[in-house]
Amino acid sequence: MKFQIEDVTVYFPYDHIYPEQYSYMIELKRSLDAKGHCLLEMPTGTGKTIALLSLITSYTLSKPSNPVKLLYCTRTVHEMEKTLAELKLLHKYQLDNIGPSARMLALGLSSRKNLCINPAVVSAENRDSVDAGCRKLTASWVRALAIENPNIPTCSFFETYEKAGSDAVLPPGVYTLQDLRVFGKEKGWCPYFLARHMVQFANVVVYSYQYLLDPKVAGIISKEMQRESVVVFDEAHNIDNVCIEALSVSVRRQTIEGATRNINKMSQEINRFKATDAGRLRAEYNRLVEGLAQRGNLPLGDTWLANPALPDDILKEAVPGNIRRAEHFLSVLRRLVQYLKGRLETENVEKEGPLTFVNAVNSHVGIDQKMLKFCYDRLHSLMLTLEITDTDEFLHIQTICDFATLVGTYTRGFSIIIEPYDERMPHIPDPVLQLSCHDASLAIKPVFDRFQSVVITSGTLSPIDLYPRLLNFNPVVSRSFTMSLTRDCICPMVLTRGSDQLPVSTKFDLRSDPGVERNYGRLLLEMVSVVPDGIVCFFVSYSYMDAIVNSWNETGILKDIMQRKLVFIETQDVVETTLALDNYRKACDCGRGAVFFSVARGKVAEGIDFDRHYGRLVIMFGVPFQYTLSRILLARLEYLRETFQIKEGDFLTFDALRQAAQCVGRVIRSKADYGMMIFADKRYTRHDKRSKLPGWILSHLRDAHLNLSTDMAVHIAREFLRKMAQPYDKTGGGGKKTLLSQEDLEKMNGTEGMMF
C-alpha cells in the first residue's frame, strides 16, 4: 500500500498497517524534518523495523535533492540478516511501484569472520585469528614479496579485487551477508574489502553498534559517512552499557605476561632490522619528527584499528621526542608493563581516578601523560614498520597501549579499580586492573554531534525520561506507543506468595529460604500441567539457577516436572546452549512440551524469540538486579549521582526492570500470538518497581492480577488459555480497528484535514 504523511509518499510493502506503525512513522518524520534526535518505544512484535525502513527510504525518495543515508545499527548478526530481508521485500515493492528511479544500494557489513570466502583463512576458530590470517595474505609488504617470490601465499580474491580497481563495484540492490559472499565467489572478489569500499556509496548500511560507538572501529569504518545520515539504534535498551564497554579496558596477569612476550619479540625484530635494513627505522624516526604518527592513507590490507580515544580528544601534534626511537619506545612500554605488574600484586581493593594514576606512573617510572597518550599511535606505527602480520599474537600489548592512551586522555568519567580476587570466589587469586568508564555519553557524543538525526528505539525504553539524562542529549521527539489489540493476548501477573501464603522473593535474606525454593518449584509444577507447549523460566543469575535446580532435584519437584515436560537449561557455553535450544524447539514441535531454564542477563534473554507455541508462558523468578557489591557498579553509581543527579536506587531499579521486561517480551512476537507473563516476586507489587515496566505491559496488568498466590495464578491461566482458543476477527471488527487498509488511512487523513 502507499499513503501520504504530509509531503512524503510512504511505500509500505503490506496490504494492512497497524495503527501504532502509522503513529510511529508520523513521529519519526517529525524528528527527520526537525533534523533532531528521537527516542521511540514501540512494543515488540508490532513491526517497527519495517516501519522505520519504509518511512526513511520513502523520505529519501520524495526529497531527491538532498537524499538521506540510513545507518541502521543492530546488536547481532541474526538481527542484521532479518533487517536486510525486510528491506529486500520493501525494495522490490518500491521498484514495482516507481520503477528504476527507486533503485538503491543497501548492504550489511560485518567482520571478516562472517564475510571471508578464502577457505584457508575463514576456518580459524575466532575473529582475531581470521583477521590475522587475512593480514598475512593481504599486507602490502607480503604482496610486494610475492611478486618476487611466487611461492609466498597471497589471497587470490583480494588480488582479483585489487586488479579490478575502480571497476570493482556492487550493482544496485539489497545484499545480505550471504548475498555478498555469493557475489564475491562469482566475481572472484573479496566480499569483505568490497563491502568496506561500498559502504561510503550505499544508501542503506546495516551493521553492528560497535562500528559507530567503539572509537577503534568507528575510526576506520565510519569516518567517511556524510553528515546527512540518519542513524538508527535498534533494540537500544542497553545502549548505555555498549557505550561504556567501548571505552573500558581490563588488564589481567595473562595480559602482562603476553605483553612482555610481545615486547621481547619486537625487540628481536628491531635488532634484526638494525642489522639488515637500518634505513627503515631511520625513515620512521624522520617521519615522527615531522609529526606524522600515522602514515596518511595506508593500503587497504594494512589498515589497523584506530585510536581508542574519541576523535575530538586525539592530539593533533608530533609524537614526544623521547618515544620516537623504536628502542626508546620499547623501554617505555617495558617500564609501564613492569609498573602495572607491581600494581596487580596488591592484597587490597584499590580505586583511584585517572589523574592520581598518571601522577603515580610519572613519579615511579618517569612516563608522563603525553607519552601515555601517544602509546597507541606509536605502537601502530612501529608494528607497520616491523611488518608484523600475526596481529592476534600482539593483542596483549595492544590492550596495554589502549589502556595507556585512554588513561592519558581522559580525566573525568573514569576510575581505575584494582581487585585482587573476584568477591564471589575470594579464595582464588585472580587480580584484575580495570579502567572503567562510567559515563555512557562520552562514546555516543560524536554520533549525536556528527549526524543530523539519531533514532534510539526498542520495545523496552521505560522510563523513557532516564535515557536523555544517561546519554546527555535533548531528543526532539520522545514517545512510548501502546499496542492496539483485537483481543487481550498478553496476560501479565504478579505472583507474591505460594499456595501456603508464604511470600516469594529473591531478596538476599529470602533467596535461599527452603520455603521460597519450594514455592517456586510448586508454581512451575502447577503451570506445566496447565500450559500447553513451551514454558520459559528466567532466573536472576547462573549461581541462583544452579542452587534452585539442585534443591528441586533433591525434593523430587524436578522429577515431577519432567513427567509433564522435558527440561532444558542454558549454560555459559554457547554451543551447549544452542543445542539445548534446538532440542527445546523440537520438543515443542512434536507436542511433548518443554521448559527452558535461562538467566536474565544471559545470551538467551537478549536475542532469541520464543514466539507462538515455543513460549506460551514466561516466568521471571525474582527481580534481576545487577550484583550490587561490584566495585565497578558502585563507582558508576557514585558518578551518576554526582554528575547527573540520578539516585542509586532509581538506576538499579530501572536497570533490573528493563532486563525483566526484555525477558518477558520474548513471548509476544506478533499480534496473532498470545502468551502469559508471571513476575514471581513480592517486590513487583511496589509502585516504584512496577511503574518502570513498559506501557504496553502495564496497560494489560489488571489490579486483580497484582497480588496473586499460586492457585489463583493457575486459575487465571486456565481461563486465559480457554479464551485464547476461541476464533476471533483479526482486523478488529466492532469499534477499534487494529489493522488499517489504504482506504482507512485515506479516510483518517481526510477527517484530519477537515479538523484543521
Side-chain angles (χ1 to χ4, degrees), residues 202-241:
N203 309 83
V204 182
V205 180
V206 184
Y207 54 19
S208 126
Y209 280 28
Q210 270 68 23
Y211 287 24
L212 272 179
L213 293 178
D214 185 340
K216 295 196 285 298
V217 191
I220 309 171
I221 308 281
S222 303
K223 68 172 190 293
E224 304 296 324
M225 302 299 184
Q226 57 266 44
R227 184 178 153 59
E228 290 71 40
S229 299
V230 177
V231 177
V232 174
F233 289 110
D234 194 10
E235 296 295 336
H237 46 276
N238 279 344
I239 191 162
D240 52 321
N241 295 341

Tab-separated table of all heavy atoms in Angstrom, residues 202-241:
chain	number	residue	atom	x	y	z
A	202	ALA	N	26.761	3.506	-0.354
A	202	ALA	CA	25.453	2.852	-0.184
A	202	ALA	C	24.414	3.821	0.368
A	202	ALA	O	24.749	4.775	1.073
A	202	ALA	CB	25.607	1.662	0.747
A	203	ASN	N	23.129	3.557	0.038
A	203	ASN	CA	22.036	4.371	0.593
A	203	ASN	C	21.658	3.879	1.984
A	203	ASN	O	21.221	4.637	2.831
A	203	ASN	CB	20.788	4.275	-0.292
A	203	ASN	CG	21.105	4.568	-1.742
A	203	ASN	OD1	21.542	3.686	-2.464
A	203	ASN	ND2	20.920	5.803	-2.158
A	204	VAL	N	21.774	2.563	2.178
A	204	VAL	CA	21.447	1.978	3.482
A	204	VAL	C	22.586	1.044	3.878
A	204	VAL	O	23.015	0.202	3.086
A	204	VAL	CB	20.134	1.157	3.426
A	204	VAL	CG1	19.798	0.600	4.801
A	204	VAL	CG2	18.984	2.006	2.904
A	205	VAL	N	23.090	1.219	5.098
A	205	VAL	CA	24.116	0.310	5.623
A	205	VAL	C	23.591	-0.273	6.924
A	205	VAL	O	23.139	0.465	7.802
A	205	VAL	CB	25.440	1.072	5.909
A	205	VAL	CG1	26.484	0.119	6.440
A	205	VAL	CG2	25.939	1.768	4.660
A	206	VAL	N	23.640	-1.596	7.026
A	206	VAL	CA	23.206	-2.238	8.277
A	206	VAL	C	24.446	-2.857	8.902
A	206	VAL	O	25.117	-3.685	8.283
A	206	VAL	CB	22.153	-3.339	8.000
A	206	VAL	CG1	21.642	-3.923	9.302
A	206	VAL	CG2	20.996	-2.769	7.192
A	207	TYR	N	24.793	-2.425	10.121
A	207	TYR	CA	25.951	-3.036	10.786
A	207	TYR	C	25.788	-2.990	12.304
A	207	TYR	O	24.748	-2.611	12.817
A	207	TYR	CB	27.271	-2.429	10.315
A	207	TYR	CG	27.463	-0.917	10.377
A	207	TYR	CD1	26.683	-0.093	11.169
A	207	TYR	CD2	28.500	-0.311	9.639
A	207	TYR	CE1	26.915	1.277	11.222
A	207	TYR	CE2	28.730	1.052	9.676
A	207	TYR	CZ	27.934	1.841	10.478
A	207	TYR	OH	28.157	3.192	10.540
A	208	SER	N	26.840	-3.398	12.992
A	208	SER	CA	26.704	-3.532	14.449
A	208	SER	C	26.998	-2.201	15.150
A	208	SER	O	27.640	-1.318	14.593
A	208	SER	CB	27.663	-4.630	14.906
A	208	SER	OG	28.500	-4.162	15.904
A	209	TYR	N	26.505	-2.077	16.374
A	209	TYR	CA	26.701	-0.861	17.195
A	209	TYR	C	28.159	-0.421	17.235
A	209	TYR	O	28.467	0.757	17.190
A	209	TYR	CB	26.332	-1.171	18.648
A	209	TYR	CG	24.872	-1.155	18.954
A	209	TYR	CD1	23.918	-1.448	17.992
A	209	TYR	CD2	24.433	-0.849	20.233
A	209	TYR	CE1	22.586	-1.439	18.292
A	209	TYR	CE2	23.094	-0.840	20.540
A	209	TYR	CZ	22.168	-1.131	19.570
A	209	TYR	OH	20.845	-1.121	19.875
A	210	GLN	N	29.073	-1.426	17.365
A	210	GLN	CA	30.489	-1.095	17.578
A	210	GLN	C	31.041	-0.229	16.446
A	210	GLN	O	31.935	0.560	16.658
A	210	GLN	CB	31.324	-2.377	17.655
A	210	GLN	CG	31.461	-2.950	19.044
A	210	GLN	CD	30.171	-3.489	19.591
A	210	GLN	OE1	29.275	-3.824	18.826
A	210	GLN	NE2	30.035	-3.571	20.892
A	211	TYR	N	30.493	-0.388	15.241
A	211	TYR	CA	31.032	0.344	14.092
A	211	TYR	C	30.811	1.848	14.218
A	211	TYR	O	31.435	2.626	13.512
A	211	TYR	CB	30.409	-0.176	12.790
A	211	TYR	CG	30.934	-1.540	12.383
A	211	TYR	CD1	31.468	-2.397	13.336
A	211	TYR	CD2	30.902	-1.971	11.074
A	211	TYR	CE1	31.955	-3.631	12.987
A	211	TYR	CE2	31.394	-3.227	10.719
A	211	TYR	CZ	31.926	-4.044	11.687
A	211	TYR	OH	32.422	-5.268	11.353
A	212	LEU	N	29.911	2.247	15.133
A	212	LEU	CA	29.720	3.682	15.364
A	212	LEU	C	30.171	4.102	16.756
A	212	LEU	O	30.573	5.237	16.964
A	212	LEU	CB	28.243	4.051	15.209
A	212	LEU	CG	27.761	4.406	13.805
A	212	LEU	CD1	26.290	4.724	13.842
A	212	LEU	CD2	28.520	5.586	13.238
A	213	LEU	N	30.062	3.174	17.726
A	213	LEU	CA	30.280	3.584	19.118
A	213	LEU	C	31.688	3.289	19.625
A	213	LEU	O	32.165	3.946	20.538
A	213	LEU	CB	29.265	2.887	20.031
A	213	LEU	CG	27.813	3.312	19.816
A	213	LEU	CD1	26.890	2.536	20.733
A	213	LEU	CD2	27.626	4.804	20.043
A	214	ASP	N	32.353	2.276	19.064
A	214	ASP	CA	33.694	1.948	19.545
A	214	ASP	C	34.705	2.737	18.705
A	214	ASP	O	34.857	2.492	17.513
A	214	ASP	CB	33.937	0.443	19.388
A	214	ASP	CG	35.277	0.025	19.981
A	214	ASP	OD1	36.145	0.907	20.143
A	214	ASP	OD2	35.454	-1.163	20.276
A	215	PRO	N	35.401	3.714	19.306
A	215	PRO	CA	36.279	4.599	18.521
A	215	PRO	C	37.317	3.835	17.703
A	215	PRO	O	37.706	4.261	16.627
A	215	PRO	CB	36.967	5.473	19.572
A	215	PRO	CG	36.228	5.280	20.824
A	215	PRO	CD	35.445	4.013	20.739
A	216	LYS	N	37.750	2.659	18.199
A	216	LYS	CA	38.796	1.902	17.493
A	216	LYS	C	38.289	1.445	16.129
A	216	LYS	O	39.015	1.428	15.152
A	216	LYS	CB	39.215	0.679	18.323
A	216	LYS	CG	39.889	1.041	19.636
A	216	LYS	CD	40.618	-0.134	20.236
A	216	LYS	CE	39.706	-1.159	20.859
A	216	LYS	NZ	38.922	-0.649	21.982
A	217	VAL	N	37.000	1.040	16.077
A	217	VAL	CA	36.439	0.539	14.816
A	217	VAL	C	35.848	1.697	14.010
A	217	VAL	O	36.029	1.789	12.801
A	217	VAL	CB	35.339	-0.509	15.106
A	217	VAL	CG1	34.942	-1.212	13.836
A	217	VAL	CG2	35.820	-1.518	16.132
A	218	ALA	N	35.153	2.598	14.704
A	218	ALA	CA	34.484	3.712	14.009
A	218	ALA	C	35.501	4.581	13.272
A	218	ALA	O	35.209	5.119	12.212
A	218	ALA	CB	33.700	4.552	15.008
A	219	GLY	N	36.714	4.679	13.819
A	219	GLY	CA	37.751	5.499	13.197
A	219	GLY	C	38.110	5.015	11.806
A	219	GLY	O	38.544	5.788	10.959
A	220	ILE	N	37.932	3.710	11.550
A	220	ILE	CA	38.247	3.188	10.216
A	220	ILE	C	36.996	3.157	9.351
A	220	ILE	O	36.986	3.590	8.222
A	220	ILE	CB	38.762	1.740	10.307
A	220	ILE	CG1	39.870	1.631	11.321
A	220	ILE	CG2	39.233	1.254	8.965
A	220	ILE	CD1	40.241	0.226	11.599
A	221	ILE	N	35.912	2.598	9.905
A	221	ILE	CA	34.745	2.293	9.070
A	221	ILE	C	33.863	3.520	8.847
A	221	ILE	O	33.420	3.787	7.747
A	221	ILE	CB	33.887	1.186	9.735
A	221	ILE	CG1	34.741	-0.031	10.088
A	221	ILE	CG2	32.712	0.816	8.855
A	221	ILE	CD1	35.057	-0.956	8.978
A	222	SER	N	33.591	4.268	9.919
A	222	SER	CA	32.510	5.255	9.827
A	222	SER	C	32.974	6.693	9.660
A	222	SER	O	32.155	7.591	9.647
A	222	SER	CB	31.621	5.138	11.063
A	222	SER	OG	31.131	3.830	11.174
A	223	LYS	N	34.292	6.899	9.553
A	223	LYS	CA	34.721	8.307	9.485
A	223	LYS	C	34.371	8.945	8.136
A	223	LYS	O	34.316	10.151	8.013
A	223	LYS	CB	36.203	8.456	9.809
A	223	LYS	CG	37.182	7.868	8.784
A	223	LYS	CD	38.599	8.284	9.177
A	223	LYS	CE	39.630	7.969	8.125
A	223	LYS	NZ	39.866	6.549	7.906
A	224	GLU	N	34.086	8.101	7.130
A	224	GLU	CA	33.754	8.635	5.805
A	224	GLU	C	32.277	9.042	5.685
A	224	GLU	O	31.889	9.674	4.720
A	224	GLU	CB	34.025	7.569	4.721
A	224	GLU	CG	35.448	7.028	4.715
A	224	GLU	CD	36.463	8.100	4.367
A	224	GLU	OE1	36.148	8.964	3.541
A	224	GLU	OE2	37.577	8.080	4.933
A	225	MET	N	31.442	8.595	6.626
A	225	MET	CA	29.992	8.793	6.467
A	225	MET	C	29.632	10.276	6.474
A	225	MET	O	30.118	11.034	7.303
A	225	MET	CB	29.234	8.103	7.614
A	225	MET	CG	29.518	6.631	7.714
A	225	MET	SD	29.035	5.778	6.222
A	225	MET	CE	29.372	4.100	6.711
A	226	GLN	N	28.716	10.657	5.577
A	226	GLN	CA	28.357	12.077	5.498
A	226	GLN	C	27.417	12.492	6.630
A	226	GLN	O	26.745	11.664	7.223
A	226	GLN	CB	27.728	12.418	4.137
A	226	GLN	CG	26.506	11.607	3.772
A	226	GLN	CD	26.870	10.392	2.922
A	226	GLN	OE1	27.839	9.711	3.228
A	226	GLN	NE2	26.101	10.119	1.890
A	227	ARG	N	27.387	13.773	6.881
A	227	ARG	CA	26.575	14.309	7.972
A	227	ARG	C	25.088	14.063	7.744
A	227	ARG	O	24.325	13.859	8.672
A	227	ARG	CB	26.860	15.818	8.097
A	227	ARG	CG	26.127	16.399	9.261
A	227	ARG	CD	26.343	17.851	9.532
A	227	ARG	NE	25.193	18.423	10.201
A	227	ARG	CZ	24.710	18.021	11.353
A	227	ARG	NH1	25.257	17.021	11.996
A	227	ARG	NH2	23.658	18.606	11.895
A	228	GLU	N	24.651	14.077	6.456
A	228	GLU	CA	23.214	13.923	6.159
A	228	GLU	C	22.813	12.463	6.301
A	228	GLU	O	22.293	11.850	5.385
A	228	GLU	CB	22.876	14.394	4.729
A	228	GLU	CG	22.970	15.882	4.514
A	228	GLU	CD	24.399	16.399	4.527
A	228	GLU	OE1	25.272	15.713	3.966
A	228	GLU	OE2	24.648	17.473	5.100
A	229	SER	N	23.092	11.889	7.446
A	229	SER	CA	22.733	10.484	7.647
A	229	SER	C	21.771	10.383	8.819
A	229	SER	O	21.835	11.179	9.750
A	229	SER	CB	23.977	9.656	7.975
A	229	SER	OG	24.885	9.707	6.914
A	230	VAL	N	20.906	9.375	8.730
A	230	VAL	CA	20.040	9.068	9.869
A	230	VAL	C	20.587	7.788	10.490
A	230	VAL	O	20.770	6.788	9.798
A	230	VAL	CB	18.588	8.826	9.403
A	230	VAL	CG1	17.724	8.443	10.587
A	230	VAL	CG2	18.045	10.073	8.740
A	231	VAL	N	20.886	7.857	11.774
A	231	VAL	CA	21.415	6.681	12.464
A	231	VAL	C	20.289	6.072	13.289
A	231	VAL	O	19.624	6.774	14.049
A	231	VAL	CB	22.575	7.085	13.401
A	231	VAL	CG1	23.069	5.882	14.180
A	231	VAL	CG2	23.704	7.694	12.605
A	232	VAL	N	20.073	4.760	13.130
A	232	VAL	CA	19.052	4.089	13.933
A	232	VAL	C	19.740	3.063	14.820
A	232	VAL	O	20.485	2.207	14.328
A	232	VAL	CB	18.027	3.369	13.027
A	232	VAL	CG1	17.071	2.553	13.866
A	232	VAL	CG2	17.264	4.372	12.182
A	233	PHE	N	19.534	3.157	16.128
A	233	PHE	CA	19.989	2.104	17.049
A	233	PHE	C	18.768	1.284	17.408
A	233	PHE	O	17.896	1.739	18.146
A	233	PHE	CB	20.608	2.712	18.314
A	233	PHE	CG	21.931	3.370	18.083
A	233	PHE	CD1	22.066	4.754	18.155
A	233	PHE	CD2	23.060	2.623	17.797
A	233	PHE	CE1	23.297	5.370	17.936
A	233	PHE	CE2	24.288	3.233	17.578
A	233	PHE	CZ	24.406	4.602	17.652
A	234	ASP	N	18.693	0.061	16.877
A	234	ASP	CA	17.528	-0.782	17.139
A	234	ASP	C	17.796	-1.625	18.385
A	234	ASP	O	18.947	-1.950	18.679
A	234	ASP	CB	17.274	-1.674	15.922
A	234	ASP	CG	15.899	-2.323	15.981
A	234	ASP	OD1	15.108	-1.929	16.863
A	234	ASP	OD2	15.618	-3.203	15.161
A	235	GLU	N	16.718	-2.015	19.084
A	235	GLU	CA	16.845	-2.785	20.341
A	235	GLU	C	17.864	-2.091	21.259
A	235	GLU	O	18.794	-2.711	21.767
A	235	GLU	CB	17.311	-4.226	20.051
A	235	GLU	CG	16.325	-5.037	19.244
A	235	GLU	CD	15.007	-5.301	19.962
A	235	GLU	OE1	14.981	-5.271	21.208
A	235	GLU	OE2	13.992	-5.501	19.282
A	236	ALA	N	17.649	-0.787	21.448
A	236	ALA	CA	18.705	0.014	22.090
A	236	ALA	C	18.513	0.197	23.588
A	236	ALA	O	19.006	1.149	24.158
A	236	ALA	CB	18.755	1.385	21.417
A	237	HIS	N	17.786	-0.728	24.241
A	237	HIS	CA	17.565	-0.531	25.684
A	237	HIS	C	18.858	-0.614	26.484
A	237	HIS	O	18.961	-0.043	27.550
A	237	HIS	CB	16.565	-1.568	26.205
A	237	HIS	CG	16.863	-2.940	25.718
A	237	HIS	ND1	16.416	-3.375	24.490
A	237	HIS	CD2	17.606	-3.935	26.227
A	237	HIS	CE1	16.858	-4.602	24.294
A	237	HIS	NE2	17.592	-4.966	25.323
A	238	ASN	N	19.873	-1.345	25.948
A	238	ASN	CA	21.136	-1.454	26.694
A	238	ASN	C	22.235	-0.575	26.111
A	238	ASN	O	23.413	-0.832	26.308
A	238	ASN	CB	21.642	-2.901	26.673
A	238	ASN	CG	20.937	-3.736	27.715
A	238	ASN	OD1	20.315	-3.182	28.618
A	238	ASN	ND2	20.989	-5.035	27.600
A	239	ILE	N	21.852	0.466	25.391
A	239	ILE	CA	22.859	1.244	24.653
A	239	ILE	C	23.880	1.893	25.592
A	239	ILE	O	25.054	2.015	25.253
A	239	ILE	CB	22.184	2.302	23.745
A	239	ILE	CG1	23.211	2.905	22.779
A	239	ILE	CG2	21.484	3.375	24.545
A	239	ILE	CD1	22.605	3.611	21.607
A	240	ASP	N	23.455	2.244	26.803
A	240	ASP	CA	24.416	2.864	27.741
A	240	ASP	C	25.531	1.879	28.100
A	240	ASP	O	26.687	2.259	28.226
A	240	ASP	CB	23.705	3.384	28.999
A	240	ASP	CG	22.834	2.323	29.641
A	240	ASP	OD1	22.192	1.564	28.905
A	240	ASP	OD2	22.773	2.252	30.884
A	241	ASN	N	25.172	0.585	28.238
A	241	ASN	CA	26.214	-0.403	28.568
A	241	ASN	C	27.179	-0.615	27.407
A	241	ASN	O	28.374	-0.797	27.607
A	241	ASN	CB	25.573	-1.751	28.945
A	241	ASN	CG	24.767	-1.635	30.221
A	241	ASN	OD1	24.956	-0.689	30.990
A	241	ASN	ND2	23.850	-2.538	30.451
